Amino acid sequence: MKICTITCHDVYNVGASLQAYALQTYLKSLGHDVRIIDYKPDYLSGHYRLDVVANPKYDKPFVRQAYLLAKLPGRLRILPRKKVFDDFTDKYLTLTKRYASEAELAAEPPEADVYFAGSDQIWNPLFQNGKDPAFYLDFVRQGVRASYAASFAVDEFPQELREVTAKYLSRLDGVSVREASGLAVLKSLGIENAQTVLDPVFLLDKAHWEAMAKLPPKAEKPYLLVYDFDNSSAVRTLAEKIASERGLKIYSIFGLPYAERCFALCGPEEFLGLVRRADFVLSNSFHATAFSVIFEREFAVVERTEKINTRMRDFTAMLGLSDHMVTEGMAIPFNTDWTAVNSRLKDKIDYSKAYIDEVLRMAKND
């Protein structure tokens, strides 16, 4: 059977790359011909460009040139990270031809028996992709259309987007979301028969991810890994407290002044290695949390400043780990009962795989 998936697969984010790989790899393991639709509209194509002016107030004659010149050294230093991600894509992802716009995709969509939209924050209305018809499979004319673990990442959907989004969703043959809170959003949009399933990274087992994990050089000491998108003062306070109490060095993915070592140029495989070997993982990232669970590493999660925390709250609650969502001054949980966690996780993995089987049966019976 031919299957196409669509997601934000090429945005230089470890979680985005790994979830795209996981769904494709699981579907291939079932014996299907699977491709990721290489959809890269303008709003997803600006990464690592040397000529981009991020702040409009600097996009003026002469000021623009001075801005780009000032930014150039830092942008050149970070370019090796782009190569690591591009190499991951070339090595692990099977893509269709490139589509640069929704109109181009609608005019000549790739042929498939089943189309999956997901996973990750493809329906986040705070981002442009959450408003894009392509991520609701509006371009599909024939074949079964379903979402897999799509995430809104918010509790409330904007009023001005409700009508058109409800129209897109009503055309899907199967609807599944990653968070329980997503069911409430769907209900508010008039979509009743939806299910919650796990992020695709849980469709592959621990051994699979261990085989892919690469520990970067100079990561040999016992360490606490920080994965912080916000440069949060709360994360810093907690990291320094935990590291001091447990005799750990502080390592970080992003450049942080209080970390002994930063691995800013690492890609998805090195990210896996850093999480796998960490003594403790402190983050405000869904996928750092997910892989902490997969590798059975002690962890805690601090909420993001953006309003996209439902995914971490719902996930930890589902596993009985709500106490792992922490703020400054809270007691940090240790000695997680991984037997209980894995029991809950297995039930949800089985349920998620059953949902995929159900969607594929639709195509067989069509």
Side-chain angles (χ1 to χ4, degrees), residues 268-282:
E269 291 165 293
E270 292 77 18
F271 167 82
L272 292 172
L274 286 166
V275 175
R276 182 191 175 205
R277 292 293 183 88
D279 290 79
F280 196 94
V281 179
L282 182 65

Side-chain angles (χ1 to χ4, degrees), residues 123-178:
W123 293 347
N124 185 338
L126 303 179
F127 300 158
Q128 186 61 35
N129 49 265
K131 307 167 190 176
D132 189 333
F135 288 107
Y136 297 91
L137 300 174
D138 192 54
F139 61 89
V140 176
R141 297 295 172 260
Q142 289 186 320
V144 172
R145 295 181 285 186
S147 65
Y148 182 82
S151 176
F152 294 107
V154 296
D155 291 304
E156 295 184 9
F157 208 77
Q159 188 63 41
E160 66 273 16
L161 297 175
R162 286 176 175 272
E163 184 176 351
V164 67
T165 304
K167 180 183 73 172
Y168 296 145
L169 292 168
S170 67
R171 295 171 179 167
L172 297 180
D173 299 297
V175 181
S176 71
V177 288
R178 193 174 63 184

Side-chain angles (χ1 to χ4, degrees), residues 83-141:
K83 184 179 186 309
V84 172
F85 274 83
D86 289 343
D87 289 347
F88 179 90
T89 297
D90 291 343
K91 181 178 179 181
Y92 288 112
L93 305 186
T94 305
L95 306 179
T96 66
K97 74 172 189 177
R98 172 67 55 90
Y99 295 91
S101 69
E102 194 274 334
E104 188 179 316
L105 181 56
E108 193 181 349
E111 292 184 6
D113 302 295
V114 179
Y115 298 82
F116 279 107
S119 171
D120 216 12
Q121 299 180 63
I122 57 165
W123 293 347
N124 185 338
L126 303 179
F127 300 158
Q128 186 61 35
N129 49 265
K131 307 167 190 176
D132 189 333
F135 288 107
Y136 297 91
L137 300 174
D138 192 54
F139 61 89
V140 176
R141 297 295 172 260

Side-chain angles (χ1 to χ4, degrees), residues 52-336:
V52 170
V53 177
N55 191 327
K57 75 178 183 178
Y58 298 117
D59 197 9
K60 302 172 184 176
F62 304 112
V63 177
R64 174 185 175 86
Q65 284 74 15
Y67 172 91
L68 292 174
L69 190 61
K71 290 288 186 181
L72 185 60
R75 290 180 173 182
L76 289 174
R77 278 196 302 272
I78 204 72
L79 274 180
R81 184 174 186 270
K82 178 181 187 299
K83 184 179 186 309
V84 172
F85 274 83
D86 289 343
D87 289 347
F88 179 90
T89 297
D90 291 343
K91 181 178 179 181
Y92 288 112
L93 305 186
T94 305
L95 306 179
T96 66
K97 74 172 189 177
R98 172 67 55 90
Y99 295 91
S101 69
E102 194 274 334
E104 188 179 316
L105 181 56
E108 193 181 349
E111 292 184 6
D113 302 295
V114 179
Y115 298 82
F116 279 107
S119 171
D120 216 12
Q121 299 180 63
I122 57 165
W123 293 347
N124 185 338
L126 303 179
F127 300 158
Q128 186 61 35
N129 49 265
K131 307 167 190 176
D132 189 333
F135 288 107
Y136 297 91
L137 300 174
D138 192 54
F139 61 89
V140 176
R141 297 295 172 260
Q142 289 186 320
V144 172
R145 295 181 285 186
S147 65
Y148 182 82
S151 176
F152 294 107
V154 296
D155 291 304
E156 295 184 9
F157 208 77
Q159 188 63 41
E160 66 273 16
L161 297 175
R162 286 176 175 272
E163 184 176 351
V164 67
T165 304
K167 180 183 73 172
Y168 296 145
L169 292 168
S170 67
R171 295 171 179 167
L172 297 180
D173 299 297
V175 181
S176 71
V177 288
R178 193 174 63 184
E179 290 87 32
S181 55
L183 295 179
V185 173
L186 288 168
K187 189 172 182 179
S188 75
L189 297 172
I191 307 300
E192 299 283 350
N193 297 320
Q195 303 177 50
T196 57
V197 294
L198 288 173
D199 188 276
V201 299
F202 292 100
L203 297 174
L204 307 180
D205 62 21
K206 179 182 178 182
H208 187 106
W209 294 118
E210 286 178 333
M212 286 182 67
K214 295 180 180 178
L215 191 66
K218 299 182 179 179
E220 69 281 352
K221 298 176 182 176
Y223 62 90
L224 178 151
L225 180 66
V226 174
Y227 194 47
D228 176 13
F229 286 97
D230 295 339
N231 195 10
S232 161
S233 61
V235 169
R236 177 172 186 166
T237 298
L238 288 165
E240 292 178 337
K241 178 177 183 293
I242 297 166
S244 174
E245 290 176 351
R246 301 185 76 83
L248 303 175
K249 300 297 182 181
I250 298 176
Y251 291 173
S252 173
I253 303 292
F254 303 117
L256 296 173
Y258 58 90
E260 178 177 298
R261 288 178 184 159
C262 298
F263 298 89
L265 302 182
C266 83
E269 291 165 293
E270 292 77 18
F271 167 82
L272 292 172
L274 286 166
V275 175
R276 182 191 175 205
R277 292 293 183 88
D279 290 79
F280 196 94
V281 179
L282 182 65
S283 78
N284 45 32
S285 155
F286 176 85
H287 282 102
T289 304
F291 281 104
S292 296
V293 170
I294 288 171
F295 291 131
E296 299 183 12
R297 313 317 296 167
E298 296 295 340
F299 74 94
V301 189
V302 178
E303 291 199 350
R304 295 277 296 275
T305 53
E306 293 179 279
K307 296 179 180 179
I308 55 174
N309 295 298
T310 56
R311 55 209 184 119
M312 278 89 81
R313 288 200 302 265
D314 286 3
F315 177 65
T316 51
M318 183 261 294
L319 296 179
L321 300 175
S322 292
D323 60 342
H324 286 57
M325 294 288 299
V326 301
T327 58
E328 282 186 71
M330 284 182 62
I332 303 299
F334 293 101
N335 301 316
T336 302

